[in-house]
Amino acid sequence: MSEREHDETTRPPVSRPRPAVEARPATGLRKELPAEVPVVPVIPPRPFAGAEEAPQERPEPGPTGRQRLVAGLWPPRVTRAQLIVALLLFGLGFGLAVQVASNSDGDSALRGARQEDLVRILDELDDRTERLEDEKQGLEKQRDELENSSDQAEEARKQMMEKERQLGVLAGTVAAEGPGITMTIEDTKGTVEANMLLDAIQELRAAGAEAIQVNGVRVVASTYLTDSGNGVGVDGNKITAPYRFKVIGKPQDLEPALNIPGGVVQTLEKERATVTVERSTKIVVDALRAAKRPDYARSSSR
C-alpha cells in the first residue's frame, strides 16, 4: 500500500455541507408546529419484597336516614302547650268512645230484633203520634167552642167540670172504667224487684195508660216503689206476688209496648218470672187515693 492510500484510509471523512433550506416567505398562512413530544407514563416504584403495606384509613360512614329520624323523635321534646293539647285531645277521644259505646248498647236490642218486632215498634210509634195529634185536635176544638159560644161563661164551666173529672182520674181521687189490659206477673222464684215493676209502670204511661192499679193500690204521679222483704212496697203498702196490673187505655198500644224486644216482658222472663197480658173491653179501676193538699204550691191565678 502506498502512503497516499494509507493517508486516505486513516484520515477522517470530511462532512460535506448540506444545501441551505430555502426560507419560506413571512407571508405564509400558518407557522410550522414543533414536533409533538410523546408523553411517557410515570409508573410508581413497587415496594420491596417483604415490606408491609401501610393501612389506608377509610372514612367512617355517617348515620342513615332512619337513625336520623329516630334521633329526631327520641327523646321527645314536649312543651307545655303540646302537653295541654294532648290532654284535651285525649279527653275528647275518650268522650266520643263512651258516647259510641252507650249508643251501641242502646241499639243492640233493636239491631238483633226480628222483622216482626221492628214492625211492631214502628206501629207503636205511629199510634203514639196519632194519639198526640188527637189530643191536639181536642184542645183546639175546646178553644174554638169557647171562643164561638154565645154564653162563654157557661161553656167555660162545662169545660172546667170535664177537666176536673179527667184530673180526678189521673190523681186517683175518682174511680174509672174503660178498655184496657190486665197484666199478671207470677214470681215463684222471688226474683222480681221494685225497679222492674217501676219500669213496667213507666212503659205503660208512655204507651198512653190513663189509670193504673196494682194489687188494689192506685198508681198516681207521686207513686214510689221499694223492695220490702219477699214483696214490693207501693206508696208504703206491701204487696206480694202474683202482681196484677189493671190498666185503662188503648189495648192496641198498651200490649205491644210491653212486648217490644228488650222490654218489660222480656226482662221479667229473663228473671224466670211468668207474664201474661190480656186485652179487655172493660177494665174497672176502683182503688182511690185521698186528695192531698200541697204544702207549698199555690195557684198563681187571681
Side-chain angles (χ1 to χ4, degrees):
M1 177 182 301
S2 61
E3 293 180 0
R4 185 178 180 180
E5 292 176 351
H6 177 76
D7 292 337
E8 290 179 357
T9 54
T10 57
R11 187 179 297 174
V14 179
S15 59
R16 296 180 181 180
R18 297 181 179 180
V21 180
E22 296 181 0
R24 295 186 178 183
T27 60
L29 295 179
R30 64 191 183 101
K31 186 178 181 181
E32 291 292 336
L33 295 176
E36 295 182 359
V37 180
V39 178
V40 179
V42 179
I43 301 175
R46 300 181 62 182
F48 295 101
E52 296 182 357
E53 297 182 359
Q56 298 180 359
E57 297 181 357
R58 297 181 179 180
E60 297 182 358
T64 62
R66 181 178 299 179
Q67 293 176 347
R68 290 196 298 270
L69 178 62
V70 173
L73 296 178
W74 189 265
R77 301 175 180 86
V78 181
T79 62
R80 184 176 181 181
Q82 293 175 344
L83 181 60
I84 295 175
V85 172
L87 292 175
L88 292 176
L89 292 176
F90 174 77
L92 179 61
F94 180 77
L96 291 176
V98 172
Q99 183 68 23
V100 171
S102 62
N103 292 338
S104 299
D105 294 339
D107 297 340
S108 59
L110 296 178
R111 188 176 295 111
R114 298 175 301 175
Q115 183 177 2
E116 302 84 38
D117 297 331
L118 295 176
V119 172
R120 185 186 305 171
I121 294 174
L122 291 176
D123 292 340
E124 181 185 354
L125 293 176
D126 293 338
D127 293 338
R128 289 185 181 181
T129 303
E130 183 179 356
R131 185 170 60 253
L132 292 175
E133 188 66 26
D134 294 340
E135 183 177 355
K136 175 185 175 183
Q137 293 178 359
L139 293 175
E140 291 177 350
K141 182 179 179 180
Q142 292 180 4
R143 183 196 62 187
D144 296 338
E145 291 177 353
L146 185 59
E147 292 178 351
N148 299 329
S149 176
S150 58
D151 190 353
Q152 295 184 356
E154 182 63 21
E155 185 65 27
R157 188 182 66 82
K158 291 180 180 179
Q159 292 186 10
M160 185 177 295
M161 292 180 62
E162 180 65 24
K163 194 67 174 180
E164 182 181 359
R165 285 192 294 268
Q166 295 177 2
L167 293 177
V169 172
L170 297 178
T173 57
V174 298
E177 66 177 28
I181 64 171
T182 300
M183 180 176 66
T184 304
I185 303 174
E186 296 285 350
D187 182 23
T188 58
K189 304 295 183 179
T191 57
V192 177
E193 299 178 353
N195 61 331
M196 301 177 186
L197 299 184
L198 180 60
D199 291 340
I201 293 174
Q202 298 290 3
E203 193 67 38
L204 290 170
R205 284 175 173 170
E210 298 177 352
I212 303 175
Q213 178 178 314
V214 183
N215 287 27
V217 180
R218 187 71 170 266
V219 177
V220 294
S222 59
T223 295
Y224 62 93
L225 286 82
T226 58
D227 292 320
S228 179
N230 58 349
V232 176
V234 181
D235 290 336
N237 302 305
K238 183 178 180 179
I239 61 175
T240 57
Y243 304 107
R244 186 179 179 86
F245 286 71
K246 299 171 68 175
V247 186
I248 296 178
K250 189 177 181 180
Q252 294 81 358
D253 296 340
L254 299 176
E255 183 180 3
L258 298 173
N259 291 308
I260 61 175
V264 175
V265 174
Q266 187 174 354
T267 302
L268 292 172
E269 288 178 349
K270 287 182 180 180
E271 299 296 333
R272 295 178 295 178
T274 304
V275 183
T276 57
V277 180
E278 298 178 357
R279 298 185 184 185
S280 178
T281 57
K282 182 179 181 181
I283 298 291
V284 178
V285 175
D286 51 4
L288 302 180
R289 297 287 296 267
K292 182 179 178 181
R293 183 176 180 180
D295 297 329
Y296 305 100
R298 296 291 184 271
S299 176
S300 61
S301 60
R302 296 181 179 178

